[in-house]
Amino acid sequence: MPTVYVTAPDDAAAEIAATLVEERLAACVNAVDCRSTYCWEGSVETNAETILLIKTTAAGYDRLETRIEELHPYDVPCIERFDAADSLDRFASWIDDSVE
């Protein structure tokens, strides 16, 4: 069961989260406000962003990644997959039931 870490501008994050859940690509998306500092095209940038922690299935990951890239406004979106070694069995079952 992977959790997918994505950062997005605040105005796009809510739409991405809602779309992924509505399309049953994700069981749940947690959104956390943050401030990101990064190097882009030779300049140091600092912007408000939202961290999305997306719960999905291993089988659904590729479709989820493709959809995030379609929805995301950045040329190079941050999309990182973390596979859980362990999780509560009932929680893992709920994710499996929620993602098509």
Side-chain angles (χ1 to χ4, degrees):
M1 172 185 72
T3 295
V4 183
Y5 173 91
V6 173
T7 56
D10 292 343
D11 57 345
E15 179 185 346
I16 292 169
T19 300
L20 296 177
V21 173
E22 287 167 4
E23 293 180 1
R24 300 198 64 182
L25 297 170
C28 173
V29 179
N30 304 111
V32 180
D33 292 335
C34 72
R35 188 149 204 80
S36 297
T37 302
Y38 52 93
C39 186
W40 181 250
E41 296 181 344
S43 297
V44 174
E45 304 284 335
T46 299
N47 290 298
E49 290 188 306
T50 300
I51 297 167
L52 300 176
L53 298 169
I54 304 163
K55 281 60 163 205
T56 192
T57 61
Y61 176 78
D62 289 339
R63 290 182 303 131
L64 176 92
E65 181 183 89
T66 297
R67 191 66 172 121
I68 293 168
E69 286 189 282
E70 291 170 354
L71 296 167
H72 207 290
Y74 291 170
D75 293 336
V76 183
C78 170
I79 304 172
E80 297 180 290
R81 174 181 170 159
F82 298 93
D83 290 306
D86 293 301
S87 64
L88 182 69
D89 289 341
R90 292 186 315 271
F91 183 68
S93 293
W94 171 73
I95 291 172
D96 286 339
D97 292 343
S98 298
V99 176
E100 292 183 341

